Amino acid sequence: MYLKEIQGFRVIAALLVAIYHVWFHRVSGGVDAFFVIAGFFLMHSFAKQERPGMAEVLRYWQRCLARIAPSASVVILATCVLFLTLGTDMQWSGWVRSAIAALLMVENWWLMRNGVNYLSIGHSPSPFQQMWALSVQMQIYLLLPLAVAAALAMLERMGWQRHRARVLAVVTTLAFAYALLKTHQYQPAAYFNTFARVWEFLAGGLLALIVPKLTLPRPHARILGYLSLVVLAGFAALIPVGNAFPGMAALIPVAATAGVIISARNGGDLRLLNNAPMQWLGNLSFTFYLWHWPLYILVWNRTGSPDVGLIGGLAILATAFVLSVLTWWLAERPFRQSPLVTGRPVLAFSVCALAMMPAALGAGLWWSDYTLSRQRAESHRQAVLQGAPAPALVPATLIVRDDIPVSYRDGCYQSGFRNSELVECSYGNQNGATTVVLAGGSHSLQWLPALQRIAAQVPDLRIVNLAKSGCTFTLSLDGISVDSDPQACLDWNRRAIARIREIAPRAVITTGTRVGPEGEILPEGYRAAWDALAGIPVLAIRDNPRADFDIAACVSRHGADASDCTLPRNAILRDRPFREENLPAHVVLADLSDAFCDAVSCAPTRDSFLIYRDSNHLTATYAARLAPRISAHLNAMRIIHMKFAGLISGATASGADRAATPRPQPVR
């Protein structure tokens, strides 16, 4: 079946995806339209066969691979070259892995595992992220034809051919219920989940079975078609639905796509879609979709801002169009018409695999370059940790994203968005007589490397880690926001406080203030949590500066001394964020702000050390460098007793810390 309106509709869907990405930074529903169309033609292809078998499945796979392989290979290869040569190296670690995932058509699963991880919040996206939709399609193309062929054959043997639409309607409903469940549980992961997306393909397949029975007068069909176009083009601009996909919100683009298909089948004659230019542009829609994203991310990567402006956005779309034309004429069109891919399936599959080899070579070369550069950077970092001078930036921007506390790697923190169960681990001496608890969110957890450095010199120090991503150590969320489910965060804190009282540690170490868009505050919920630990000393470390941009990326882009990467101190830190008389007697506030800022500004680097790994989290290396400062406070609180030896060249305690008295006063 060939419907001219659907060919033109592909152009609209691809253009909407690009426009919403480049200027609105949100989803458009265009990808959902692609999924419905794919399911529609898949089911139509198989349903017209009396007894579809493996031969029909192989031919379907052959057509799909011949259409996808050349353009995907060209775009992946070009993206590797672009970002290897023009992109900043800071995100190579994730990007090169994303390239491999795109090559293997598992980009969506890679994004589920890494792209929605808490550590990735605030980072610019992967230049291969658009490949998630193609990965979902390829996985569906692999599995769904087998399932459809088997189901149709079974229904024929049972004599239920006339019930095909009813059976598929039930299956589609169950698949949609699964999507709703996954969206409710954790929408960012559900968005990329193949099984949460399959209902959209099934909806297209169901439409293929029932649309021959749906008849409309031609004027009504035309109205339905144009109304569906308006809905698809505008609903995402008017309604904030991005966090509801692929659940209820996805019904809108699915229904709009169904409306266009029904209109086309009933002679709606949608001139906006079925004219000759749109038919030609339809050939480019897939490749245009693939090209627009890496071009947009390259501009974002070089400028540091997702806002490219009107002219910049138009330049991106125009470049994507030109590259789409070149890819179509030089790669996709001749490849699809080649006898090598239109003949025997085995030969066609082999040729398609060979067509992906340039992309594999590009990803492989990037991986090799990244691996060698990473080894050199890590060797330099380790040497500096052992006391060697730091003539170059430490850690190097190439490895800064991975310069994180060990708990992110061994799983010793609560990462579940709605999970409030405690995850507890110990570091240092597992049987040590001196126990301290590190409690809170990521801004508490970032001090673990410093405590581990102290534990290396205090043989009986045991560090119990209680951390939850996106949360903070508080009993109230009034006046603050968290990146975890609010109720789960509060429940986790109540459990953490109960567990701390059971442990009865020598001290609890946590974050003492909160730096947010409104500046620095000491939330009442923090005080309430400290009050709940009456009798247990609390070392509350003043929060470090936070930026509204990626500081590490700025350094990678502009250099360590760039003024663009420096923050004004008075806009971030208050002179007196807390008052001594308002604090419980067992709480000591540690002010380490001079490790980040001078009297005027807060720099991204200090003494060749890169302070931040993103917009607000410390690198593990810099946190470890501040171990003498933390040690001085623990000494003054009589938690430990030691004369600290500097861990890193230049990492000695400040004069104020060296002079700390046995009975410290809260820092003003």
Side-chain angles (χ1 to χ4, degrees), residues 265-349:
R265 285 280 298 177
N266 283 273
D269 190 23
L270 306 179
R271 297 295 178 86
L272 178 65
L273 301 180
N274 63 16
N275 60 77
M278 290 294 278
Q279 300 305 293
W280 181 78
L281 289 172
N283 296 323
L284 309 178
S285 59
F286 167 65
T287 314
F288 177 82
Y289 167 81
L290 294 183
W291 272 118
H292 88 280
W293 182 256
L295 295 173
Y296 170 55
I297 296 303
L298 182 63
V299 175
W300 181 345
N301 181 247
R302 296 309 307 176
T303 64
S305 172
D307 299 316
V308 298
L310 176 62
I311 302 302
L314 290 174
I316 289 170
L317 299 189
T319 305
F321 172 73
V322 171
L323 291 173
S324 300
V325 173
L326 293 175
T327 306
W328 164 254
W329 283 105
L330 300 178
E332 185 176 343
R333 185 169 178 268
F335 187 86
R336 290 172 63 175
Q337 293 177 349
S338 171
L340 296 177
V341 296
T342 57
R344 297 175 63 85
V346 174
L347 177 61
F349 296 153

Side-chain angles (χ1 to χ4, degrees), residues 375-396 399 403 453 606-610 619-626 646-651:
Q375 289 174 351
R376 289 192 294 267
E378 184 61 31
S379 296
H380 175 57
R381 190 183 77 88
Q382 290 296 335
V384 171
L385 286 173
Q386 299 304 318
L393 199 61
V394 180
I399 62 172
D403 195 26
R453 286 289 174 173
R606 177 69 63 87
D607 300 330
S608 296
F609 286 88
L610 182 52
T619 63
T621 300
Y622 195 72
R625 185 175 189 256
L626 299 179
L647 296 174
I648 306 174
S649 176

Side-chain angles (χ1 to χ4, degrees), residues 53-287:
M54 198 61 200
E56 285 73 27
V57 172
L58 290 174
R59 282 194 293 271
Y60 183 82
W61 287 344
Q62 183 177 351
R63 292 193 300 271
C64 291
L65 289 173
R67 184 173 69 251
I68 289 169
S71 294
S73 182
V74 169
V75 173
I76 293 173
L77 173 61
T79 304
C80 288
V81 173
L82 275 175
F83 284 85
L84 179 60
T85 56
L86 300 178
T88 57
D89 66 359
M90 187 192 62
Q91 291 177 262
W92 279 11
S93 175
W95 286 352
V96 69
R97 290 176 172 85
S98 181
I100 295 171
L103 182 68
L104 298 175
M105 295 299 166
V106 292
E107 181 73 15
N108 60 316
W109 297 107
W110 187 88
L111 288 168
M112 282 181 63
R113 181 178 178 183
N114 300 280
V116 298
N117 185 276
Y118 179 70
L119 292 177
S120 297
I121 292 176
H123 300 177
S124 56
S126 162
F128 302 94
Q129 186 162 305
Q130 90 284 18
M131 300 295 291
W132 79 267
L134 179 59
S135 296
V136 168
Q137 282 190 271
M138 289 302 294
Q139 293 158 27
I140 295 294
Y141 288 161
L142 177 64
L143 299 175
L144 197 55
L146 291 171
V148 168
L152 291 176
M154 182 180 68
L155 290 174
E156 184 188 18
R157 285 196 299 270
M158 297 173 63
W160 285 15
Q161 297 97 320
R162 66 182 184 277
H163 298 301
R164 293 182 304 178
R166 294 186 180 90
V167 172
L168 184 55
V170 171
V171 175
T172 304
T173 302
L174 293 175
F176 180 60
Y178 176 82
L180 291 177
L181 174 64
K182 287 300 180 181
T183 303
H184 172 72
Q185 289 177 340
Y186 190 43
Q187 185 273 336
Y191 189 87
F192 300 113
N193 189 329
T194 301
F195 301 108
R197 290 285 184 173
V198 72
W199 77 270
E200 296 177 293
F201 291 85
L202 294 176
L206 180 61
L207 187 63
L209 294 180
I210 65 176
V211 73
K213 303 175 184 178
L214 298 176
T215 57
L216 288 175
R218 183 170 295 182
H220 294 174
R222 183 176 295 112
I223 293 173
L224 174 63
Y226 282 120
L227 180 62
S228 298
L229 279 177
V230 171
V231 170
L232 181 66
F235 85 97
L238 300 175
I239 307 172
V241 296
N243 293 329
F245 278 84
M248 293 297 294
L251 286 171
I252 300 175
V254 168
T257 306
V260 172
I261 294 174
I262 293 171
S263 173
R265 285 280 298 177
N266 283 273
D269 190 23
L270 306 179
R271 297 295 178 86
L272 178 65
L273 301 180
N274 63 16
N275 60 77
M278 290 294 278
Q279 300 305 293
W280 181 78
L281 289 172
N283 296 323
L284 309 178
S285 59
F286 167 65
T287 314

Side-chain angles (χ1 to χ4, degrees), residues 407 410-415 419-427 429-430 435-440 445 448 462-468 492 495-505:
S407 290
D410 63 21
C412 186
Y413 73 110
Q414 178 52 261
S415 60
N419 199 326
S420 61
E421 298 301 319
L422 293 181
V423 176
E424 178 182 328
C425 299
S426 296
Y427 299 94
N429 186 343
Q430 300 290 323
T435 298
V436 297
V437 172
L438 182 63
L445 181 57
L448 179 60
R462 173 177 173 243
I463 307 160
V464 176
N465 188 60
L466 295 175
K468 175 172 172 58
W492 179 89
R495 289 187 170 98
I497 288 172
R499 178 56 182 152
I500 291 170
R501 297 181 65 157
E502 288 179 9
I503 296 172

